[in-house]
Amino acid sequence: MTYKLLLHSSIRALRANRNRTFLTILGIVIGISSVIVIMSVGAGAQSLIFNQMASVGTNMIGILPGYSDEEGPPASVMGVVITTLKAKDAEELKKIKEVTAVAAYVRGVDTAQAQGQKMDITFLGVSADYPRVENAELELGSFFDQAQDKEMARVAVLGYEVWQQLFNGDNPIGAHVKIKNESFDVIGVFEKRGTESFENKDNMILVPLTTAQKLLLGIDHISMIHLLVKSDNDVPAALEQIKSILREEHDIEPGMSDDFTARSAAQGLEALKQVTNALKFFLAGMAAISLIVGGVGIMNIMLVAVNERTREIGLRKAIGATARNVQEQFLIEAVTVTILGGIVGIIFGILTSAMVAGVAKYLGYDWDLVVTMPSILMGVGVSGAVGILFGWYPAKKAAGLEPVEALRHE
Amino acid sequence: MSSRAERGISWMTVNYNKINLRSKLRDSSSSRSVRTPRNDIRLNMPLIQTKNLNKEYCTDEVKTPVLFDIDLEINSGEFVSIMGPSGSGKSTLMHILGFLDRLTSGQYLFESADVTGFDDKKLARIRNEKIGFVFQSFNLLPRTTVLENVKLPLQYRPGLKEKEKNEMAESALKAVGLEHRMNFFSNQLSGGEKQRVAIARALVTDPTLIFADEPTGNLDSKSGLQIMEILDKLNKAGKTIILVTHETNTASFAHRIIALKDGRIVSDRKVDNRNQFNGTLK
């Protein structure tokens, strides 16, 4: 029998049991559409993150304490405290001639108070180079300078939201804000910066690095260094020098691994992409489990169909169908069901993804609707494979029926 | 070039020549061992020969013998009834002769070839090319047109064009007088019509041998008579017909009745007073 004929007879058989066919493909539809939605929404979220990260600039290098290989982030990202990175390291790195600005960071959370108002904030202790490194502009006042950092000045620069909430939008310059019961003079306010890399930049209060270390946190290490180099082309050379300087500073013997991780923004993006990809595929894999459930449903229904149509199988064999002919017929029927389910699932998945993208865009996110050809082809391929996998046994069973037994079947 | 359709339409008249030709071919190919005079072979070559054919069913280590030492010879062009009460083994014998089942021991020669060792694929091919089956319960595909049902055996034959298949199916339907029902669905037909479609399906491959298993069993007597008339015509056109029935009246349309009882042949006789058609049914 030609494939065209087989397809034709499959469609006829499936149409004969419309309700059953509908219920059978439902499992596949759900499975495929969830995979498509997760892949697409995942890609959309990735593009959102990357769009934001790319705005940071590709001539930035970040240094975190703790070693990591190329594949993933260092342990400090997961919240493990590593104390090997010091403010002095940041000072040393300024000597590299490609480096134009260096900022060291520590961070903490607390409830800030001013004029009887309270607000939960993140406070950052940073170097004076911070506005240049982060490309952040001030709305009011000025940022502290290196001298103020050195002498542990009690000055603070507010994020936009902090200003709005604690000072109700009034001029806060010269006013006081309390963090951890220590009073700070407000000397500046950042303009609205929004959320970047999962971090709301507008509910922060920035104080000099040394002040934060000694006064607020009681530590002498730092949690991160960001530095800018002159241009993208200088990134590799700068990375080399950073490594050799820090290894020397930290007395690391040759052959031992680094106790820090220095990466360019581009490398960071790559690492983030790998982490988010892993997450995306893991979730898609979870969704694919519903495909297995759908497949078992297909197998069940195909076994019922083989049983119901035993006489038909007997007849087909009596008029010359070989075992292979019968097997092909039932296999193609199963594959037809699953591919049909796959196509419906893809359409359904794309519609859902488009809805998510529409809502995200409406909410003001820089969200792209990403539906790639590979994910569509994968959807069709996987549903076909599910059909073959789960249709195989019923088809084999049909093919193995003895013609006489099949014809006698009531 | 004569189309298959023309060939089909003229089955009734042409097939004698065809059988003739086939016999001649066989004759020349086996001339070394042939001792019978040539004109004896014509229409009388043994199409089916069994020697000590035994069949037993084995279930859960219980052996149920069904057929014992069946020795049988059926020639091309014969119209044979296999009769017997239920449980006599007549259906089993038909299934073995029709390649739907295998014998347990003994020998089965079809067109002088020992088919005992044939594999499933070869048997499927013989069923497709040489055999036509007509069943008591018609076994038409539901929700499928008459034409598609009749074409079904041709679907398992590679290399035929759709147009050829249609032509062959149409001429087979003409042979049973149902060409006007071609595009009906099988469930829109009466019982008699369904059985005629089943006969057309058996005919469409132009087989040598047609097995009819209680073909009138589910039909009223008038429709049953029509079916028997068609079978008689086909026999006159050269087809070998093996009819399995338990009705004496139906069996009497054949030239020869083989009676089975408890798995053994108890009689094998020529029919003297054959049921004849007087044309009233036309």
Side-chain angles (χ1 to χ4, degrees):
Chain A
M1 258 181 138
T2 63
Y3 287 104
K4 194 178 149 201
L5 272 168
L6 282 170
L7 188 67
H8 199 252
S9 86
S10 306
I11 290 169
R12 187 162 53 215
L14 298 175
R15 279 175 62 166
N17 285 304
R18 276 167 220 251
N19 286 345
R20 188 201 281 177
T21 305
F22 169 73
L23 290 173
T24 312
I25 70 168
L26 203 57
I28 302 296
V29 170
I30 292 171
I32 292 287
S33 61
S34 5
V35 171
I36 295 275
V37 168
I38 286 171
M39 294 299 282
S40 161
V41 170
Q46 269 181 329
S47 78
L48 177 71
I49 296 166
F50 295 153
N51 288 345
Q52 287 182 348
M53 297 244 331
S55 71
V56 170
T58 46
N59 57 339
M60 188 196 267
I61 294 173
I63 302 162
L64 289 168
Y67 174 74
S68 72
D69 55 23
E70 292 292 320
E71 304 295 318
S76 51
V77 169
M78 315 297 185
V80 177
V81 178
I82 301 171
T83 60
T84 48
L85 212 56
K86 312 284 185 196
K88 188 167 167 283
D89 295 332
E91 291 303 316
E92 288 297 319
L93 295 178
K94 280 185 184 167
K95 291 174 185 164
I96 301 170
K97 75 173 193 316
E98 288 89 353
V99 171
T100 56
V102 179
Y105 298 67
V106 293
R107 73 169 59 225
V109 289
D110 192 37
T111 305
Q113 292 182 41
Q115 301 186 335
Q117 302 283 332
K118 286 185 178 179
M119 182 184 183
D120 290 329
I121 51 103
T122 302
F123 62 86
L124 289 187
V126 295
S127 324
D129 267 349
Y130 178 88
R132 280 174 62 205
V133 172
E134 296 275 334
N135 196 22
E137 300 281 338
L138 288 163
E139 176 95 19
L140 292 169
S142 58
F143 205 71
F144 43 82
D145 58 24
Q146 214 169 337
Q148 283 171 303
D149 182 12
K150 281 256 165 61
E151 68 203 20
M152 256 177 72
R154 296 189 177 205
V155 291
V157 178
L158 309 181
Y160 189 85
E161 271 176 34
V162 180
W163 171 44
Q164 291 298 320
Q165 202 161 331
L166 293 184
F167 294 94
N168 209 12
D170 297 337
N171 186 355
I173 307 295
H176 298 289
V177 62
K178 263 190 164 175
I179 308 165
K180 293 211 166 179
N181 281 325
E182 300 289 346
S183 188
F184 291 82
D185 291 339
V186 177
I187 58 166
V189 176
F190 280 111
E191 62 176 21
K192 200 165 171 46
R193 294 167 72 196
T195 299
E196 252 173 43
S197 317
F198 306 114
E199 198 175 53
N200 182 357
K201 304 266 184 188
D202 292 326
N203 76 342
M204 289 179 171
I205 296 180
L206 284 83
V207 299
L209 177 67
T210 330
T211 318
Q213 278 183 317
K214 302 285 188 283
L215 201 64
L216 299 178
L217 296 166
I219 56 173
D220 70 344
H221 64 267
I222 57 171
S223 55
M224 179 169 75
I225 298 171
H226 276 177
L227 47 82
L228 285 185
V229 293
K230 281 179 192 141
S231 76
D232 297 0
N233 298 338
D234 294 325
V235 169
L239 276 173
E240 279 307 305
Q241 294 188 60
I242 289 167
K243 281 187 184 171
S244 71
I245 290 174
L246 288 182
R247 284 182 74 92
E248 196 172 316
E249 282 290 305
H250 294 187
D251 293 327
I252 298 168
E253 302 280 333
M256 304 291 287
S257 58
D258 301 342
D259 63 354
F260 58 89
T261 299
R263 283 214 187 116
S264 65
Q267 285 174 317
L269 239 119
E270 197 46 47
L272 186 65
K273 198 177 203 164
Q274 281 178 356
V275 173
T276 47
N277 265 345
L279 194 66
K280 192 169 76 178
F281 286 117
F282 171 73
L283 287 174
M286 298 289 284
I289 289 177
S290 61
L291 277 176
I292 296 175
V293 177
V296 172
I298 301 272
M299 175 139 63
N300 194 14
I301 289 300
M302 288 310 293
L303 284 172
V304 171
V306 169
N307 192 40
E308 273 180 358
R309 286 156 63 192
T310 303
R311 279 180 78 94
E312 178 193 321
I313 296 164
L315 170 83
R316 285 178 183 271
K317 287 203 157 181
I319 61 174
T322 59
R324 200 188 148 151
N325 291 141
V326 174
Q327 189 173 354
E328 274 177 354
Q329 188 192 337
F330 280 89
L331 203 55
I332 283 187
E333 213 169 296
V335 172
T336 308
V337 179
T338 53
I339 287 189
L340 189 69
I343 290 169
V344 176
I346 287 166
I347 293 169
F348 207 65
I350 291 175
L351 289 179
T352 313
S353 310
M355 249 164 60
V356 171
V359 170
K361 272 191 181 138
Y362 177 77
L363 293 175
Y365 290 100
D366 186 9
W367 189 286
D368 302 332
L369 171 60
V370 190
V371 179
T372 56
M373 206 57 205
S375 70
I376 290 174
L377 291 179
M378 197 193 73
V380 175
V382 166
S383 53
V386 166
I388 291 174
L389 195 68
F390 290 95
W392 187 267
Y393 173 67
K396 195 87 195 160
K397 207 178 156 188
L401 287 170
E402 287 295 327
V404 173
E405 298 298 323
L407 279 167
R408 275 199 202 121
H409 186 85
E410 290 302 326
Chain B
M1 196 181 87
S2 79
S3 77
R4 279 165 205 274
E6 284 164 17
R7 237 176 65 200
I9 292 162
S10 50
W11 264 329
M12 306 300 179
T13 52
V14 173
N15 268 21
Y16 278 118
N17 299 335
K18 217 173 161 187
I19 287 164
N20 219 342
L21 183 72
R22 205 174 273 153
S23 317
K24 277 177 186 161
L25 282 173
R26 186 160 300 280
D27 182 28
S28 61
S29 67
S30 56
S31 53
R32 284 175 286 113
S33 58
V34 168
R35 290 200 180 151
T36 28
R38 243 168 219 222
N39 48 353
D40 271 10
I41 291 168
R42 189 178 176 273
L43 278 181
N44 284 328
M45 62 171 274
L47 179 66
I48 282 174
Q49 254 184 309
T50 68
K51 286 168 191 163
N52 297 324
L53 187 151
N54 284 282
K55 175 71 184 175
E56 54 189 29
Y57 288 110
C58 297
T59 43
D60 299 331
E61 291 173 22
V62 180
K63 284 182 184 173
T64 319
V66 184
L67 294 173
F68 303 90
D69 297 326
I70 304 287
D71 289 317
L72 194 61
E73 228 180 83
I74 296 172
N75 292 327
S76 268
E78 274 197 273
F79 188 166
V80 182
S81 282
I82 299 177
M83 274 200 77
S86 56
S88 59
K90 60 184 189 302
S91 284
T92 305
L93 180 61
M94 185 207 89
H95 289 146
I96 291 172
L97 297 182
F99 306 100
L100 292 173
D101 205 351
R102 287 174 185 277
L103 46 84
T104 310
S105 68
Q107 226 186 1
Y108 175 20
L109 304 173
F110 183 80
E111 290 184 334
S112 308
D114 189 348
V115 296
T116 321
F118 278 19
D119 62 11
D120 288 345
K121 215 170 155 184
K122 256 187 182 163
L123 294 181
R125 190 151 167 203
I126 295 182
R127 288 197 293 265
N128 184 256
E129 291 178 355
K130 308 269 184 180
I131 315 274
F133 286 101
V134 179
F135 300 99
Q136 180 176 0
S137 51
F138 326 133
N139 284 337
L140 300 182
L141 295 185
R143 296 175 295 271
T144 307
T145 62
V146 165
L147 187 70
E148 290 296 327
N149 263 294
V150 175
K151 268 161 71 180
L152 201 58
L154 301 176
Q155 314 292 28
Y156 295 109
R157 195 178 275 199
L160 282 180
K161 292 201 181 91
E162 203 57 28
K163 197 176 158 226
E164 292 173 319
K165 290 180 195 171
N166 284 333
E167 285 169 356
M168 290 164 85
E170 278 167 34
S171 55
L173 278 168
K174 272 184 194 147
V176 298
L178 275 183
E179 64 269 33
H180 59 292
R181 292 278 190 262
M182 207 151 70
N183 295 316
F184 277 50
F185 283 94
S186 54
N187 47 323
Q188 294 172 313
L189 303 178
S190 70
E193 286 174 326
K194 280 183 186 168
Q195 196 59 297
R196 279 151 71 190
V197 172
I199 293 175
R201 181 180 61 196
L203 273 181
V204 76
T205 55
D206 191 14
T208 322
L209 175 58
I210 292 175
F211 285 98
D213 187 4
E214 306 273 12
T216 60
N218 284 3
L219 301 178
D220 61 82
S221 55
K222 193 182 164 195
S223 308
L225 223 54
Q226 252 178 341
I227 297 301
M228 293 317 299
E229 189 178 1
I230 291 171
L231 290 177
D232 187 57
K233 268 188 178 175
L234 289 174
N235 176 245
K236 288 201 173 102
K239 303 280 179 212
T240 311
I241 310 246
I242 298 179
L243 173 72
V244 173
T245 183
H246 65 276
E247 291 168 27
T248 321
N249 194 36
T250 310
S252 306
F253 285 100
H255 301 130
R256 176 180 163 196
I257 295 178
I258 297 167
L260 282 177
K261 200 182 172 189
D262 298 330
R264 290 174 211 276
I265 295 178
V266 288
S267 81
D268 185 348
R269 59 183 172 85
K270 278 223 152 70
V271 181
D272 300 325
N273 308 318
R274 277 191 69 207
N275 269 336
Q276 296 290 335
F277 295 101
N278 51 19
T280 49
L281 283 166
K282 287 271 166 85

